[in-house]
Amino acid sequence: QSALTQPASVSGSPGQSITISCTGTSSDVGAYNYVSWYQQHPGKAPKLMIYDVSNRPSGVSNRFSGSKSGNTASLTISGLQAEDEADYYCSSYTSGSHFWVFGGGTELTVL
Amino acid sequence: QVQLVESGGGVVQPGRSLRLSCAASGFTFSSMHWVRQAPGKGLEWVAVIWYDGTNKYYADSVKGRFTISRENSKNTLYLQMNSLRAEDTAVYYCARDNNYGAYDYWGQGTLVTVSS
């Protein structure tokens, strides 16, 4: 069982927007802004898409945005494109013994 | 060019040991993590070591069996894995911490298979 809860799958059509949620607790997502999001294509290493809740690394499309409310963080992808189809993981620092925790991952399908 | 290259993976019997290496180049060698991914499963944080090696933290699942270390003069990160179990089977990635608790550079991963 993962420490952070994500939906197993989401889908959307090209051009649409989707949002992936990441629910934690007051010991991780709710307590720190060290929330990040990763995109992983099959057989590839993860890629950082969002850090510090809502910051985009250089080179990441501004179609990707992040936010947080209470114990839940969210990743929104606008203007869906075929190449966005991938697995997405959230991560947070935690005051619990794990120190860093991941969500179980969300499979995004672009219809 | 930024690069992280893991090595040392392979097939090992339960109870045996293995040491993974991660060679870094092209960027400042900062705090570093190991993250693993079991076949068909999600990501799992394994361990972190501060940039100067003063602090090391481990996931409960590996505490007491795995040791993270680094050799800054060689820009190399290590993961010594002892008393390996079948459930340690995974692709192991090294990743750099961007000072915001996020992993901004990743290696290509090295597969560790624990099987008799």
Side-chain angles (χ1 to χ4, degrees), chain A residues 36 38 48 50-51 100, chain B residues 33 96-104:
Chain A
S36 52
Y38 302 86
L48 178 64
I50 296 288
Y51 69 95
W100 274 268
Chain B
H33 299 257
R96 189 184 84 152
D97 191 303
N98 71 345
N99 295 325
Y100 291 92
Y103 324 107
D104 59 353

Side-chain angles (χ1 to χ4, degrees), chain A residues 4-93:
Chain A
L4 306 179
T5 301
Q6 298 180 233
S9 62
V10 299
S11 63
S13 299
Q16 288 185 332
S17 295
I18 63 96
T19 296
I20 300 172
S21 61
C22 170
T23 302
T25 69
S26 57
S27 296
D28 39 63
V29 174
Y32 305 98
N33 284 333
Y34 290 149
V35 177
S36 52
W37 289 91
Y38 302 86
Q39 176 192 66
Q40 187 179 36
H41 288 108
K44 300 295 186 180
K47 175 185 176 183
L48 178 64
M49 306 303 286
I50 296 288
Y51 69 95
D52 216 31
V53 176
S54 59
N55 290 292
R56 277 187 311 276
S58 174
V60 172
S61 170
N62 59 9
R63 298 186 298 105
F64 292 83
S65 61
S67 62
K68 187 182 82 166
S69 177
N71 296 337
T72 299
S74 299
L75 172 70
T76 297
I77 308 174
S78 58
L80 268 179
Q81 300 179 0
E83 59 261 35
D84 298 333
E85 188 163 288
D87 293 328
Y88 291 84
Y89 295 90
C90 62
S91 177
S92 174
Y93 178 77

Side-chain angles (χ1 to χ4, degrees), chain A residues 34 38 40 45 97-98 100 102, chain B residues 37 45 57 60 100-101 103 107:
Chain A
Y34 290 149
Y38 302 86
Q40 187 179 36
S97 60
H98 297 287
W100 274 268
F102 282 97
Chain B
Q37 187 170 35
W45 175 77
Y57 300 104
D60 288 346
Y100 291 92
Y103 324 107

Side-chain angles (χ1 to χ4, degrees), chain B residues 1-54:
Chain B
Q1 181 182 351
V2 173
Q3 203 169 18
L4 288 170
V5 179
E6 300 97 338
S7 60
V11 180
V12 61
Q13 294 179 328
R16 303 299 291 266
S17 299
L18 206 60
R19 188 178 84 156
L20 305 183
S21 299
C22 169
S25 61
F27 62 86
T28 303
F29 199 39
S30 61
S31 295
M32 298 291 294
H33 299 257
W34 286 99
V35 176
R36 69 184 181 183
Q37 187 170 35
K41 302 296 184 182
L43 300 172
E44 179 187 14
W45 175 77
V46 173
V48 62
I49 184 168
W50 258 223
Y51 69 99
D52 57 2
T54 53

